């Protein structure tokens, strides 16, 4: 299965390359207007693209940590642990023309799914693309929950492997802005 290239996001104002088997969650349930959410067809993995207000009070690596901790607060994480933060090279981004700085963060959060008591550690990879001219922080998140204790995967699961960090990097680097009017008058 090939990745979906130039998939329209936010009504076509952005596009990106999605990994194979990505399902648009807005086809299943309501999603906030500032988010695009995709889930893997066979695993509990998800990808989220969010348009957020620029957090000008934090700079550099601290901005990436701020957003990671904010997501942990929203999800009522019991534990939030940053494992690594590093800058992303702007020249690798399709958004290099309007992105002032970019960071990638990896960490773990201990969260319970809706209606469940048991909290599990979820690995999160986040890319923060800062667009100060649009007063926007673009946050891309790759959620990798632990694999469920399933019996050996059947042939239908083998045809669609779990997403990799490479799939997430392709989403991040391919994200393209087509219409800056999404940010309102500048």
């Amino acid at each position: 299965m090939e990745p979906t290239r130039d998939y329209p996001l936010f009504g076509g104002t952005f596009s990106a390359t999605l990994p194979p088997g990505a399902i648009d969650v807005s086809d299943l349930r309501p999603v906030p207007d500032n988010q695009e959410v995709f889930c893997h067809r066979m695993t509990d993995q998800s990808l989220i693209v969010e348009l957020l207000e620029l957090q000008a009070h934090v700079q550099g690596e601290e901005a990436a940590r701020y957003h990671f901790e904010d997501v942990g607060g929203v999800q009522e994480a019991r534990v939030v642990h940053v494992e690594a933060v590093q800058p992303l090279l702007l020249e690798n981004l399709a958004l290099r023309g309007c992105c002032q700085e970019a960071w990638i963060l990896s960490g773990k959060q201990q969260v319970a799914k809706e209606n469940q008591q048991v909290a599990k550690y979820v690995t999160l990879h986040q890319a923060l693309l800062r667009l100060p001219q649009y007063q926007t922080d673009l946050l891309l998140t790759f959620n990798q929950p632990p694999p469920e204790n399933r019996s050996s995967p059947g042939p239908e699961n083998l045809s669609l492997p779990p997403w990799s960090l490479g799939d997430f990097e392709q989403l991040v680097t391919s994200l393209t802005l087509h219409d800056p009017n999404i940010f309102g008058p500048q």
Side-chain angles (χ1 to χ4, degrees):
M1 219 175 187
E2 287 295 308
T4 304
R5 303 205 180 281
D6 300 323
Y7 188 89
L9 304 172
F10 303 105
T13 58
F14 283 87
S15 68
T17 298
L18 296 179
I23 297 171
D24 189 335
V25 171
S26 68
D27 293 338
L28 308 174
R29 64 172 170 80
V31 170
D33 289 344
N34 71 317
Q35 292 182 353
E36 292 280 358
V37 182
F38 302 91
C39 63
H40 191 282
R41 192 176 307 279
M42 301 290 194
T43 71
D44 287 336
Q45 294 175 311
S46 64
L47 295 164
I48 304 168
V49 181
E50 292 181 89
L51 298 172
L52 302 170
E53 184 178 337
L54 180 73
Q55 298 299 312
H57 67 282
V58 285
Q59 298 298 318
E61 181 179 318
E62 288 308 307
R65 290 177 182 275
Y66 171 88
H67 284 290
F68 182 75
E69 290 169 3
D70 187 56
V71 167
V74 168
Q75 294 187 358
E76 299 177 3
R78 297 175 189 172
V79 176
V80 175
H81 175 70
V82 174
E83 295 176 343
V85 184
Q86 53 196 63
L88 269 173
L89 295 174
L90 296 180
E91 60 261 22
N92 294 340
L93 302 176
L95 282 175
R96 62 186 161 270
C98 58
C99 183
Q100 190 173 57
E101 64 175 311
W103 296 88
I104 191 132
L105 179 148
S106 294
K108 291 190 183 314
Q109 296 184 357
Q110 188 182 29
V111 294
K113 272 187 163 180
E114 288 180 42
N115 306 321
Q116 292 184 4
Q117 295 297 318
V118 178
K120 296 180 180 177
Y121 278 95
V122 176
T123 300
L124 277 84
H125 302 284
Q126 289 186 325
L128 175 63
L129 310 181
R130 308 206 79 193
L131 313 175
Q133 71 274 37
Y134 301 122
Q135 294 297 303
T136 299
D137 277 340
L138 237 166
L139 186 67
L140 297 92
T141 303
F142 175 27
N143 290 298
Q144 285 188 292
E148 294 295 322
N149 295 331
R150 296 190 187 113
S151 56
S152 61
E156 70 280 356
N157 290 358
L158 296 176
S159 65
L160 188 62
W163 293 332
S164 67
L165 199 49
D167 291 321
F168 179 60
E169 289 169 359
Q170 188 171 40
L171 170 70
V172 172
T173 58
S174 70
L175 187 64
T176 304
L177 175 64
H178 299 288
D179 185 0
N181 290 322
I182 189 172
F183 302 112
Q186 298 303 313

